[in-house]
Amino acid sequence: MTSIPTVSFQAVEDLAARFPASFFWGAATSSYQVEGAVAEDGRGPSIWDDFSATPGKVADGQSGALAADHYHRYREDVALMARLGLNAYRFSVAWPRVLPEGRGAVNQAGLDFYDRLVDALLEAGIQPFVTLYHWDLPSVLEREGGWRVRSTAYAFADYAEVVTRRLGDRVLHWMTLNEPWCSAYLGYGVGVHAPGLRDRQAAVDAAHHLLLAHGLALPRMRAVLPAQAQIGTAQVLVKVYGADERPETQRDVALAHAFSNRWFLDPLYRGSYPEGLFAALGLKPPPIEEGDLELIAAPLDFLGVNNYSRMLVRGSPEPPLADQCRTVSPVPNACYTDMAWEIFPQGLRDLLLDVSRDYPVQRLYVTENGAAFPDEWDGGETVHDPRRVAYLASYISACAEALEQGAPLCGYFVWSLLDNFEWAEGYRKRFGIVYVDYASQRRVIKESGLWYAALLQAFRSRCR
């Protein structure tokens, strides 16, 4: 296996010089992964509370009940962001903290927390980028059918208006949904995420209702936000490559691309689902009603791209189901993260260029990109993580290449600010540029965080 090269701190000046002065440099988190305080100040339960409490669903029986205790330590965390030099922070609002029953009565104490967080960020000179849904659906709505039923989309639109009315005078960057592909397919199709269903048809129906929720929320949000506010959505996308030039490989690359990327991008930007996708899944189309696709395809101000790796496909003799294309894994001589995801920065560059070529995107943000490695803290002032330093340097260089080749990239958010609850992996996987000692909740900036801070310092120095 090839080694990852050491990255010199001196190289940051050259890298920083490749980005425009208006570029946003941030880090990202999500509510259930960092906040904790799941039963405090009126928060209701979410599907991830329920999923985590189900034996065998999460590694070591863990949950986000405490997580990184960001709910109580947000001021300390904002101070960390300022120390790192971030000019943006992407976080999500917990729907059950704002509307414990999913709809109806607003929990003012929950909104107050996000009020305080936004104010603290702005006081530190950090722009908040708010995601309204990062997978923590209120439990009561799941009992009514969750994303399988249309009513959840309307409940989301109500929730979106509540939050934007409260924070919209200060927050100018909004994302409706984070990775609805994961919410639908991983949550309802194969059951490895909450709510844990294994029903591929339910996944197709859930995907449509997630997109409908986005479409219903957009006009409600725009009606209360200032004209300069920007609304987008964050999609998990992957560049699909062929392992060879055989016709069956090219066929399966197109199939995997439709399933992994076009399933959500086509409705958002073309007002239609990829032709033949549902038949290629062996399933029925979702319950589309008149006007749904027009709502979903309303103009967006930006697209958030979450990317961690690539997909390498080798064609099968007979056409596979769209979610069962044969992939090459492990890739010979490749390097992998602790999540067993191949490190392939060119994939991010190619993906950004493809999206900007194939869809009418106004702006792109890399809203998540990062790597898990088995970090260990020896009690000192930092954590040695040279592989993450190399990872970030290579992927940020790929962003610079995409910019130089014409992609309208406006910002980059490393995943994640903090080590946190990594969904079904519990606390086994560490993505943070800041180490969290979960026993004491002490924060320790890793060498990757120091490298990122040096990059941002070089960026600011050049822009003065």
Side-chain angles (χ1 to χ4, degrees), residues 143-442:
R143 291 195 294 271
E144 297 173 4
W147 291 112
R148 293 165 291 170
V149 299
R150 192 175 178 89
S151 58
T152 301
Y154 288 90
F156 175 80
D158 292 341
Y159 156 68
E161 182 176 343
V162 167
V163 178
T164 48
R165 278 192 182 277
R166 181 66 173 268
L167 304 179
D169 60 329
R170 286 153 290 156
V171 176
L172 296 179
H173 299 87
W174 295 86
M175 280 156 272
T176 51
L177 308 175
N178 178 77
E179 298 184 358
W181 185 96
C182 295
S183 299
Y185 187 73
L186 300 183
Y188 290 89
V190 294
V192 296
H193 280 189
L197 273 67
R198 296 181 179 178
D199 182 339
R200 293 165 68 252
Q201 185 64 54
V204 165
D205 297 347
H208 181 68
H209 293 139
L210 281 153
L211 285 165
L212 178 62
H214 162 84
L216 290 167
L218 278 178
R220 303 274 293 273
M221 295 170 69
R222 292 202 189 278
V224 299
L225 289 172
Q228 67 269 33
Q230 298 178 17
I231 305 176
T233 178
Q235 302 290 328
V236 59
L237 302 176
V238 57
K239 174 65 179 177
V240 185
Y241 298 90
D244 53 59
E245 298 300 321
R246 294 178 300 134
E248 52 265 46
T249 292
Q250 301 311 305
R251 176 202 66 204
D252 290 356
V253 165
L255 199 58
H257 176 50
F259 172 68
S260 299
N261 301 318
R262 292 182 55 205
W263 184 5
F264 288 86
L265 290 179
D266 278 21
L268 287 169
Y269 286 101
R270 296 173 181 168
S272 62
Y273 287 105
E275 184 177 358
L277 172 62
F278 304 117
L281 285 165
L283 301 169
K284 298 181 297 184
I288 304 169
E289 296 190 7
E290 185 176 354
D292 283 2
L293 291 169
E294 289 79 7
L295 281 170
I296 293 167
L300 290 173
D301 300 303
F302 67 88
L303 177 68
V305 173
N306 295 358
N307 175 260
Y308 294 90
S309 189
R310 68 160 169 173
M311 184 184 297
L312 187 62
V313 169
R314 177 172 287 129
S316 302
E318 298 297 325
L321 292 174
D323 58 344
Q324 296 176 22
C325 294
R326 184 171 57 167
T327 58
V328 178
S329 183
V331 176
N333 300 316
C335 294
Y336 285 82
T337 71
D338 203 28
M339 294 290 288
W341 297 343
E342 184 194 4
I343 299 172
F344 194 79
Q346 305 97 295
L348 177 56
R349 177 200 63 198
D350 294 346
L351 177 64
L352 293 171
L353 291 169
D354 284 355
V355 170
S356 59
R357 180 192 66 231
D358 294 344
Y359 297 94
V361 294
Q362 294 189 45
R363 303 172 185 86
L364 286 171
Y365 291 93
V366 173
T367 38
E368 287 184 26
N369 173 246
F373 292 111
D375 307 318
E376 295 183 6
W377 178 46
D378 63 6
E381 293 303 312
T382 189
V383 172
H384 187 56
D385 64 338
R387 298 188 70 198
R388 187 176 291 104
V389 172
Y391 180 101
L392 294 178
S394 64
Y395 274 83
I396 292 172
S397 293
C399 288
E401 291 174 15
L403 256 172
E404 290 157 358
Q405 295 177 45
L409 185 62
C410 299
Y412 174 91
F413 292 78
V414 62
W415 184 272
S416 174
L417 175 69
L418 304 168
D419 290 336
N420 56 48
F421 177 78
E422 184 46 42
W423 306 115
E425 297 288 343
Y427 294 95
R428 292 182 176 182
K429 308 298 183 184
R430 292 182 177 270
F431 275 90
I433 57 173
V434 175
Y435 184 93
V436 177
D437 176 55
Y438 294 115
S440 66
Q441 289 294 332
R442 178 172 170 180

